Amino acid sequence: MKTGTFTVPTDLLTRIKAAQNILCISHVNADGDAYGSVLGMVWMLRSLGKRATAAMPDPVLPDFGFLPGAGEIVGPDDTADDYDLIICLDMSSADRMGAVYDEPRFGAIPLVVIDHHITNTNFGVANWVEPRCAATAQMLVVLSGPLGIEVDTRLAQCLLTGIVTDTLCFRTSNTTPEVLEAAMCMQRAGADLSDIVRQTLNRMPFSTLHLWSRVLADAHLDQGVTWVTVSQAQLRQAGHEGDDSRLNSILSSINEADMSAIFTEKLGANGSPAVECSFRAKPGFNVGELAFQLGGGGHAPASGCTIAGTLDDVVGSVVPMLVAERRRQLAHTGATPQH
Ligand SMILES: [Mn+2]
C-alpha cells in the first residue's frame, strides 16, 4: 500500500500502539467521514487485539446504519471511564465533541487528534492534521500501513464510505491521485463502492424533496452569491430532520454564483435563536476563512459556523460579508468568476 506521500507522527503512533482500551470520538452533526473514520478506527484497533469503543454526541443517523459496527456506537450516557486513550477523528476543535466529552471523567486521559481540516486547533497531546487528505478516512488508510493492519471488508467499507462522502464520490477539487489510490486499496480489500454510493449519495426520503421544493422556491442570487434559508417551520411542515449536504451541492452548481450559503434556523441550548450557516465556494474562492472568523471552521471550498440571532438578523449580516469576501478575493487573489 503506497503511503509515502504522508507521514504519521511518531508520537501519535507510539500512543496508539501503547494503549489498550481506547475511546474513539467523532463530531456533532456527523457526516459519512465522521462515521466512517470513527468506526474504521475501532476496527483497526480491534484487529490489533485492543479494546475500542466508538462514541458520537448525537444518535446514529439511519442512513449510516449500513456501516459495520454502526449498531455499537454509544452516546454520551454510555461511555465508560477506564479508557487509557481518546482518539478524536475528523474534528477541527474540541467543542465539536459535544456532550460525549465528559471533562470530569476524561480530563486526565490523553487525547490525540487525527483530522484533515486546515482550521484544526491542535487540541490533543499528539495531533496529526493533514489538510492534503480529502477525508479523515483517507488518513486512516495511510495509518493502517505503519500499524501493520491487514484491511478486512468491514474496515474497508467504513473507510471508503468516509472518502466517498467527503469527496461527493470523487467530484471535489481535492480528489488527488492519493485519494484514488486509497479508495482503490479499500475496494481491493472488499469495500463495495456502488453500494456505498447508493447508501450515502443516491437516496433521499420524500420529506427531503418536499423541503427542497419550499426552500428553493425562495432562493436568492446577489453579486455572485446564492443562498437559501431553512426555517424550523419549513422543517416541521416537511417532516424533515437534520441537515442535508445535497442542498449545498445544488446551490454550489449554480452558474452565476461563486459562493453559496444555507442558513438553517436552530434553537440554541438555552432556547435562544441561532442560525447554522453552511458555506460553499467554487474553485479559486475560499469560504474557510470567513467561517473561521465567525467562530466556525472548515476548508476553502466548504465551511460552516453557528451564529446566535434570528434568521433575518444572521442573513442580513452574513450575506454582505460573503459578497464583500467574494469581491475581495476577485480583486486580490486572482480568482476569476466561474461563469
Ligand atoms: Mn471529513
Side-chain angles (χ1 to χ4, degrees):
M1 192 176 298
K2 183 173 180 291
T3 59
T5 310
F6 305 109
T7 308
V8 183
T10 311
D11 57 344
L12 181 92
L13 270 179
T14 306
R15 285 188 184 272
I16 292 175
K17 284 178 179 168
Q20 290 305 320
N21 183 17
I22 301 142
L23 181 67
C24 303
I25 302 180
S26 198
H27 56 78
V28 291
N29 297 325
D31 56 15
D33 193 27
Y35 287 109
S37 57
V38 81
L39 289 171
M41 193 74 236
V42 163
W43 290 122
M44 285 170 61
L45 295 167
R46 288 182 184 168
S47 81
L48 295 171
K50 301 173 189 296
R51 288 167 63 197
T53 305
M56 309 278 272
D58 304 314
V60 177
L61 293 173
D63 284 7
F64 293 98
F66 78 99
L67 283 174
E72 293 181 45
I73 296 175
V74 302
D77 299 332
D78 295 307
T79 50
D81 45 17
D82 59 345
Y83 307 109
D84 55 7
L85 182 68
I86 296 175
I87 304 180
C88 292
L89 296 134
D90 198 45
M91 235 181 295
S92 55
S93 55
D95 59 304
R96 302 273 290 154
M97 290 187 281
V100 87
Y101 187 77
D102 187 357
E103 173 80 39
R105 282 192 300 147
F106 297 161
I109 303 171
L111 181 152
V112 300
V113 171
I114 303 176
D115 182 37
H116 68 125
H117 295 92
I118 197 164
T119 53
N120 194 289
T121 58
N122 292 289
F123 57 98
V125 292
N127 300 280
W128 182 27
V129 178
E130 182 46 87
R132 292 175 299 166
C133 281
T136 300
Q138 183 193 348
M139 298 173 71
L140 298 191
V141 176
V142 174
L143 180 62
S144 70
L147 284 179
I149 284 160
E150 188 139 338
V151 179
D152 65 9
T153 302
R154 291 179 306 202
L155 172 56
Q157 191 80 348
C158 293
L159 296 188
L160 188 57
T161 296
I163 294 170
V164 163
T165 53
D166 261 19
T167 62
L168 302 174
C169 202
F170 312 112
R171 287 184 293 165
T172 54
S173 60
N174 58 0
T175 303
T176 58
E178 288 73 26
V179 173
L180 296 177
E181 278 172 351
M184 187 177 70
C185 288
M186 294 305 97
Q187 198 177 20
R188 287 225 171 92
D192 186 339
L193 177 60
S194 70
D195 182 54
I196 290 168
V197 173
R198 190 178 58 79
Q199 299 268 14
T200 57
L201 301 174
N202 284 353
R203 63 198 291 266
M204 65 167 84
F206 184 74
S207 62
T208 300
L209 193 68
H210 189 184
L211 179 70
W212 288 4
S213 70
R214 305 299 163 97
V215 166
L216 293 175
D218 196 26
H220 299 262
L221 173 68
D222 183 25
Q223 301 174 66
V225 177
T226 185
W227 75 94
V228 296
T229 57
V230 182
S231 69
Q232 283 296 312
Q234 284 172 321
L235 287 168
R236 260 196 316 274
Q237 282 162 13
H240 193 278
E241 288 174 32
D243 312 286
D244 198 328
S245 60
R246 282 170 293 195
L247 193 51
N248 278 306
S249 302
I250 293 178
L251 290 185
S252 60
S253 68
I254 300 306
N255 289 341
E256 295 87 345
D258 299 313
M259 294 179 177
S260 63
I262 300 175
F263 299 99
T264 306
E265 186 181 32
K266 298 270 166 186
L267 278 184
N270 53 2
S272 59
V275 176
E276 196 176 277
C277 310
S278 176
F279 305 129
R280 293 291 183 275
K282 292 246 177 90
F285 292 87
N286 183 335
V287 286
E289 288 164 21
L290 180 65
F292 190 64
Q293 285 163 25
L294 292 170
H299 319 268
S303 65
C305 57
T306 301
I307 302 176
T310 66
L311 213 39
D312 283 349
D313 288 347
V314 172
V315 170
S317 64
V318 174
V319 168
M321 289 182 201
L322 283 165
V323 168
E325 188 63 20
R326 173 181 172 271
R327 195 179 298 134
R328 189 187 67 77
Q329 290 177 20
L330 279 173
H332 296 293
T333 66
T336 49
Q338 296 292 303
H339 54 278

